[in-house]
Amino acid sequence: MSVNFFETDCKEESRNEKQFGICDDQNGTKAYTDTSDSTKWIAKVTNVKGIDVSFTAIDNCIIIFKEGTKDKESSCDGMLTFAQSLYLVELKKQGTGGWISDAKGQLENTIKLISENHDLSSFRYKKAFACNRKHPSFTVIDTAERKSFFERTGGFRIDVQAEIVVK
């Protein structure tokens, strides 16, 4: 079954504010963008050039079942698309350990699902962001793990930080 991640009701109108947040109320609803209440932001998007950016909710919006089952595929919360860029975003609020590997697993599975349904070669910049409001600053991932993620995902770079810079 083919799933379209790019033309869907889960895609918000594009926005070009210099700063906005991505929120997930963690109550079974989809993630969304917001400009008014920064206390809800799990990830902050910095868009200094005012580029048109589209956010598409994936988890709790684009539902994909594991083949032959009624079990939902694990997916990240959403993606940002602009120009030649595709940024996948997983939002976390947990303060305890293990959240980075959970987020990486969700990001990798989403990349696999999108790649099965779309040719991503038109995207020059592909990134996967694991964002946690309780751990907002940049987390170092060793070079070997970065390289391994890049190879496993067909060219996605992994970042662990709560600020996403649009360039």
Side-chain angles (χ1 to χ4, degrees):
M1 179 183 85
S2 182
V3 178
N4 192 329
F5 284 82
F6 297 99
E7 298 304 323
T8 168
D9 291 343
C10 300
K11 184 177 187 174
E12 296 180 359
E13 291 289 320
S14 66
R15 55 186 335 138
N16 58 15
E17 292 90 345
K18 302 247 186 273
Q19 194 171 77
F20 60 92
I22 305 174
C23 313
D24 182 356
D25 297 336
Q26 312 268 317
N27 60 4
T29 59
K30 65 183 181 179
Y32 58 94
T33 58
D34 173 78
T35 55
S36 59
D37 185 358
S38 63
T39 64
K40 290 179 146 190
W41 299 1
I42 298 175
K44 175 176 77 173
V45 179
T46 302
N47 182 10
V48 183
K49 293 181 180 171
I51 295 168
D52 284 335
V53 179
S54 295
F55 177 76
T56 304
I58 298 175
D59 192 25
N60 295 317
C61 198
I62 299 174
I63 309 297
I64 302 170
F65 293 101
K66 292 180 181 171
E67 199 169 327
T69 74
K70 290 187 167 61
D71 298 330
K72 279 179 26 177
E73 284 278 8
S74 171
S75 59
C76 69
D77 290 298
M79 66 181 176
L80 295 167
T81 50
F82 56 97
Q84 296 175 307
S85 301
L86 170 60
Y87 290 4
L88 295 174
V89 182
E90 174 56 23
L91 305 168
K92 297 287 187 194
K93 284 188 188 174
Q94 60 197 84
T96 55
W99 71 270
I100 293 176
S101 59
D102 289 351
K104 282 196 315 196
Q106 287 171 278
L107 288 160
E108 275 191 66
N109 201 53
T110 306
I111 292 164
K112 176 183 79 81
L113 295 169
I114 292 175
S115 297
E116 287 171 355
N117 290 281
H118 298 280
D119 174 5
L120 302 181
S121 62
S122 65
F123 292 104
R124 186 167 170 203
Y125 304 102
K126 297 180 287 197
K127 286 190 172 186
F129 287 88
C131 306
N132 189 330
R133 181 164 56 200
K134 298 207 165 140
H135 300 277
S137 55
F138 182 77
T139 301
V140 175
I141 299 174
D142 71 42
T143 307
E145 174 50 31
R146 280 183 180 284
K147 186 173 190 278
S148 174
F149 188 91
F150 185 84
E151 289 168 354
R152 287 192 313 267
T153 60
F156 277 80
R157 299 186 187 285
I158 181 85
D159 267 320
V160 179
Q161 60 187 359
E163 182 178 15
I164 299 167
V165 178
V166 172
K167 301 181 193 182

